[in-house]
Amino acid sequence: MIPMKRLFVLCVVFFGTFVSSQLSDDHEFLPVDEAYPTEAELTDNGRVIARWVMPEGYYLYKHALKLVGKEGTELGTLVIPPGTPKTDEFFGDVEVYYNFLEISARVIGQSHAEVVVDIHYQGCADAGLCYPPELREFRFAGFGPEVEIGSGQSVLADTGVSIWVAIGSALLAGLILNLMPCVFPILSIKALSLVQSAGESDNPRHAVGYLSGVVATFLTLAILLLVLREFGAAIGWGFQLQSPGFVAAMILLFFVMSMNLLGVIEIPGFGISMTRPNPFMTGVLAVIVATPCTVPFMAAAIGYAISQGGIELVLIMGMMGVGMAVPYIAATAIPQIAAWLPRPGRWMVTFKRVMSIPMVLTVVWLMWVLTRQVGMMGLLWSLAAVVLLTIAAFVGRQQVKWLTSVWAIMAVVIAGAVYAVSLPNDVPQTTKSETFEYAKFEGLVAAQRPLFLNVTADWCLTCLANERTTLSRDVVKQAFDHHDITYIKVDWTNRDAQVTELLEQFGRYGVPMYVLYPSNGQPVVLPQVLTPDLVRDYLNKYEGQST
């Protein structure tokens, strides 16, 4: 007896042949390999990608797409974009793909030297021919034999090169983080500490303490990323800033620090003194405030680390911490650098007051981010907590004997505010200036219209800087208009699994991400730091010279 599945395939073949013979006088159909040329690759981060670029009038069915591992190859979840709804004469209401399609799955297990994958697909032509289901086998070499990998991790490709490139990128990214505006307030505190302790014998201890704080925080973030992603959370770099409670805690912390710099709460017992800061805690704060920033080399390092998981992620994040701490270590360990530092004096009091300005601006910016995440209620809770902290600080300054009670009140206020803003509320969120509709986006991609994709977040300072200095400039807007490019802005301020999946399709795990979809050819990922000339050059290269 013929199995139902095989009988169905035979019927489809027979019916397709019959239709083809009836229409042969009016339409000449392409062979299946020309109608659906199948390409496949195994990326360095262990993901199998299959793609099709189809002629006009030909489409693939979503329900027929599969990636199946063979000969010891085990694949993870199939990543496939939403299709275009269609009422099909052969299968009824289905989802289909025109022009371009890319699907992928991660290799999560391998027991032989090769990665072997079967790609299943089936398509039809608008003119009336339905092709039978197709299967193509692909083999990818380059991995060692008998590699066993836990679920959710990927095969490490070309470890002799990639891991060292990732380590170098992590060190450079950590070093460049020191130049970003988000860490400037914390680094100014370290500068004060360097000047205050110039020539003292315990400078090496301060350097080791700061290095320990920075690296420990990066390692903590790495472990959190591993644990949360193991439980299925779609997160990446800066994930903690997608939590309104964390943002509220940062608002109150920076408010207290700004008051300290202004001399309002220079009271005995304050744990983070601005003139004699705890080096470990300063390192922790430096990493926390650095997460809104993304710098060159970071995307490659973080993307590689997250895709590999486990020891690679911990190693890469730790090396990024080392890179971030290198300038301070050099300033304390090299006498020639220390000799350049100015002598301590009354100018430091003025410098502290000046440094309170970026602290206060950081508080204002974080309040804006919180408002975008949870609405005005988040701002009201934060302002109420700020008022209570101010009163508590004033009381503590006037009555030192009540210091223990003041600290208890401050802790309760901060905890209460964090809890309050974390509660669900009915206030409509305003983060998404343009709501991201995945199906509509895939439809635009399938239509081969030129697109410029901007994946951003309100807490990402690099994103905001690129938008203000480049994407909002008239010269860039005119270039978009000249090339008839559709500009799409996708917001990742709040956690969104679909946006995370979109990032991961390009090997990215953080924002910003800029992708140019040319009218012909494959998508092109742009650098994370933009200039008007750079964007215009990319448009001219892939869409023709502008006049």
Side-chain angles (χ1 to χ4, degrees):
M1 186 174 181
I2 300 177
M4 290 298 296
K5 184 175 180 180
R6 183 172 297 178
L7 179 61
F8 172 78
V9 172
L10 292 173
C11 290
V12 170
V13 174
F14 174 80
F15 187 68
T17 304
F18 172 78
V19 173
S20 177
S21 65
Q22 297 299 313
L23 298 177
S24 59
D25 294 335
D26 301 323
H27 191 95
E28 182 176 350
F29 293 98
L30 295 172
V32 63
D33 289 336
E34 295 182 22
Y36 309 103
T38 307
E39 298 178 0
E41 65 172 314
L42 178 63
T43 65
D44 287 344
N45 60 9
R47 182 176 288 275
V48 176
I49 299 177
R51 66 174 62 90
W52 296 264
V53 180
M54 294 160 277
E56 190 71 25
Y58 291 81
Y59 57 88
L60 286 171
Y61 292 110
K62 181 177 183 178
H63 64 260
L65 295 167
K66 288 192 298 182
L67 295 182
V68 180
K70 293 178 57 181
E71 300 180 16
T73 298
E74 183 181 355
L75 300 180
T77 304
L78 178 65
V79 176
I80 178 171
T84 302
K86 179 180 177 65
T87 301
D88 185 77
E89 60 180 309
F90 302 111
F91 295 102
D93 293 333
V94 293
E95 290 185 51
V96 300
Y97 303 92
Y98 285 92
N99 299 308
F100 175 80
L101 171 63
E102 185 174 279
I103 63 176
S104 65
R106 192 179 303 282
V107 179
I108 61 175
Q110 178 193 358
S111 59
H112 294 83
E114 289 185 317
V115 172
V116 185
V117 178
D118 278 349
I119 301 176
H120 298 255
Y121 59 95
Q122 183 183 9
C124 287
D126 284 333
L129 173 65
C130 186
Y131 294 85
E134 294 290 332
L135 183 152
R136 295 288 185 273
E137 180 187 276
F138 287 85
R139 293 175 175 269
F140 306 99
F143 297 96
E146 297 183 358
V147 178
E148 295 184 0
I149 305 169
S151 176
Q153 298 177 358
S154 62
V155 177
L156 179 60
D158 197 13
T159 56
V161 176
S162 297
I163 187 65
W164 293 110
V165 171
I167 288 174
S169 298
L171 283 169
L172 287 173
L175 187 64
I176 297 173
L177 269 177
N178 290 290
L179 304 177
M180 302 304 289
C182 48
V183 299
F184 179 68
I186 299 299
L187 293 181
S188 65
I189 296 173
K190 290 308 299 176
L192 282 171
S193 175
L194 275 174
V195 173
Q196 185 72 23
S197 59
E200 294 182 3
S201 60
D202 61 347
N203 266 354
R205 183 179 62 84
H206 288 177
V208 172
Y210 180 70
L211 172 65
S212 301
V214 171
V215 173
T217 308
F218 268 106
L219 295 180
T220 301
L221 289 174
I223 294 171
L224 281 174
L225 276 169
L226 281 174
V227 172
L228 293 175
R229 290 180 72 87
E230 186 67 23
F231 282 95
I235 57 175
W237 174 254
F239 69 94
Q240 65 273 28
L241 286 161
Q242 293 176 325
S243 168
F246 181 85
V247 175
M250 290 299 97
I251 289 173
L252 302 180
L253 174 63
F254 279 99
F255 176 72
V256 171
M257 293 175 66
S258 63
M259 287 196 298
N260 198 321
L261 284 170
L262 288 169
V264 176
I265 52 173
E266 290 184 355
I267 51 180
F270 191 77
I272 307 176
S273 168
M274 296 299 106
T275 54
R276 295 286 185 174
N278 180 291
F280 184 88
M281 286 303 302
T282 307
V284 172
L285 289 173
V287 177
I288 290 175
V289 300
T291 50
C293 286
T294 306
V295 298
F297 301 103
M298 180 180 287
I302 295 292
Y304 176 88
I306 293 180
S307 67
Q308 299 303 318
I311 187 64
E312 291 87 359
L313 178 58
V314 173
L315 176 61
I316 296 301
M317 294 288 276
M319 295 308 296
M320 194 175 299
V322 172
M324 188 173 180
V326 160
Y328 182 74
I329 295 174
T332 56
I334 301 176
Q336 291 81 354
I337 297 179
W340 295 343
L341 297 174
R343 295 179 179 274
R346 292 189 58 83
W347 66 269
M348 294 178 63
V349 177
T350 303
F351 186 70
K352 283 175 57 180
R353 304 297 185 261
V354 173
M355 287 302 100
S356 68
I357 297 175
M359 285 286 186
V360 173
L361 292 176
T362 302
V363 171
V364 174
W365 165 65
L366 288 173
M367 283 187 173
W368 174 75
V369 172
L370 188 63
T371 304
R372 302 276 286 174
Q373 287 180 320
V374 296
M376 289 301 297
M377 284 302 299
L379 178 61
L380 293 176
W381 280 112
S382 298
L383 289 175
V386 163
V387 170
L388 291 175
L389 288 177
T390 304
I391 295 173
F394 176 78
V395 172
R397 183 180 177 87
Q398 299 299 318
Q399 300 291 335
V400 177
K401 62 182 180 180
W402 294 348
L403 188 59
T404 302
S405 300
V406 167
W407 274 109
I409 291 172
M410 284 186 169
V412 170
V413 169
I414 293 174
V418 170
Y419 175 75
V421 300
S422 301
L423 292 174
N425 62 80
D426 297 328
V427 179
Q429 296 179 10
T430 58
T431 56
K432 298 185 179 179
S433 54
E434 296 181 21
T435 302
F436 179 53
E437 298 179 7
Y438 209 116
K440 180 180 177 180
F441 170 71
E442 288 297 326
L444 292 173
V445 173
Q448 291 189 319
R449 293 186 55 182
L451 310 173
F452 187 92
L453 177 67
N454 170 21
V455 186
T456 181
D458 290 332
W459 41 259
C460 170
L461 291 179
T462 306
C463 306
L464 298 177
N466 285 333
E467 291 183 17
R468 297 296 186 274
T469 62
T470 300
L471 297 179
S472 62
R473 295 280 296 274
D474 289 339
V475 64
V476 175
K477 292 180 179 179
Q478 291 170 5
F480 285 160
D481 292 339
H482 173 80
H483 293 290
D484 193 25
I485 289 176
T486 301
Y487 177 77
I488 300 176
K489 183 177 179 180
V490 179
D491 197 289
W492 203 46
T493 302
N494 290 323
R495 199 161 296 161
D496 189 324
Q498 282 194 327
V499 178
T500 306
E501 180 180 300
L502 179 64
L503 291 167
E504 290 182 353
Q505 288 182 7
F506 294 92
R508 295 293 179 87
Y509 296 86
V511 290
M513 182 179 77
Y514 307 103
V515 183
L516 173 63
Y517 289 79
S519 52
N520 293 295
Q522 300 301 314
V524 180
V525 180
L526 276 68
Q528 291 181 301
V529 178
L530 301 180
T531 64
D533 289 341
L534 185 146
V535 173
R536 189 170 52 186
D537 290 344
Y538 269 88
L539 298 183
N540 291 338
K541 178 179 180 180
Y542 291 96
E543 287 297 314
Q545 292 289 331
S546 60
T547 58

